[in-house]
Amino acid sequence: IFSQANPWLSLVQNLKNNFLAFVFFQASYWHVGINSRYLPLEGWVLYPPLIVFYWLGILSSLWKRRIFLFVGIVLIWPINILSLHTPDAARTLHALPFIYLMISLGLHLLISQISRFIDRLIVASDLRASALSLFNLTVLIFAIGLALHQFTTYWVWINQPRTLKSREPAIYSDDY
């Protein structure tokens, strides 16, 4: 960034781009250049239900675990802000642990709050245990369904001719 004619303008642009990319996770906010082969070319970089859990995790961290936000800022911002054409998938790989930590914290917050609500709502202990078991089963089915959807969506995306073409030049296994 400091090799640019106007490094301060580049710094402000990187701040804006990275903020929007890590708020909305839409492909249009990510740098789609030579590294577009690592990202879907349109749509979402992160699946929308995961974005909801990500923001719940951010809110949870603001409320109880500020150290996680500090670690996330230290992991993400220096590399992305001081590099050109960010964010892109190749230069943002180091952010994935933070992103998925926030998603897990958001899911934990949601499950905790709903469990507390069920505890307060249902007075009879046998009914409460059944309701909590049903809720836990629902969460498990939702998580498995979400993972399966992500898995199948990845294979649909990676096998599209447009994605395969963007990965060229490639070395094929027959060449070995």
Side-chain angles (χ1 to χ4, degrees):
I1 186 171
F2 294 111
S3 65
Q4 299 300 302
N6 189 343
W8 296 112
L9 182 63
S10 297
L11 181 68
V12 169
Q13 187 63 39
N14 274 359
L15 281 168
K16 179 184 145 207
N17 290 348
N18 281 279
F19 177 77
L20 290 172
F22 285 102
V23 168
F24 298 111
F25 288 97
Q26 285 187 305
S28 60
Y29 294 117
W30 291 70
H31 176 70
V32 178
I34 61 167
N35 292 317
S36 63
R37 61 182 161 241
Y38 299 118
L39 292 172
L41 298 174
E42 63 275 321
W44 302 92
V45 173
L46 194 62
Y47 190 53
L50 296 180
I51 297 171
V52 172
F53 296 135
Y54 171 81
W55 276 105
L56 284 174
I58 295 284
L59 292 174
S60 173
S61 294
L62 281 171
W63 182 30
K64 287 186 177 181
R65 301 171 181 96
R66 290 187 182 100
I67 188 71
F68 288 149
L69 287 178
F70 176 74
V71 169
I73 289 169
V74 168
L75 277 175
I76 295 170
W77 291 100
I79 295 170
N80 280 7
I81 298 304
L82 299 176
S83 299
L84 291 176
H85 310 298
T86 60
D88 71 20
R91 292 191 187 128
T92 309
L93 188 60
H94 62 281
L96 286 177
F98 172 73
I99 291 168
Y100 282 100
L101 173 66
M102 291 300 110
I103 290 169
S104 64
L105 287 175
L107 189 56
H108 178 265
L109 176 69
L110 184 67
I111 290 169
S112 308
Q113 294 302 317
I114 292 175
S115 295
R116 277 194 206 130
F117 177 74
I118 290 172
D119 263 353
R120 289 185 205 140
L121 185 66
I122 301 174
V123 179
S125 64
D126 57 335
L127 259 157
R128 184 183 314 140
S130 298
L132 285 172
S133 295
L134 181 62
F135 171 67
N136 289 335
L137 180 64
T138 304
V139 169
L140 180 65
I141 290 170
F142 173 75
I144 290 171
L146 190 61
L148 287 174
H149 175 76
Q150 287 287 95
F151 183 74
T152 56
T153 303
Y154 169 79
W155 287 107
V156 167
W157 166 71
I158 201 68
N159 286 314
Q160 289 177 350
R162 184 175 172 191
T163 305
L164 293 171
K165 184 178 178 187
S166 71
R167 296 182 69 86
E168 295 296 334
I171 299 173
Y172 298 96
S173 60
D174 295 342
D175 293 343
Y176 285 104

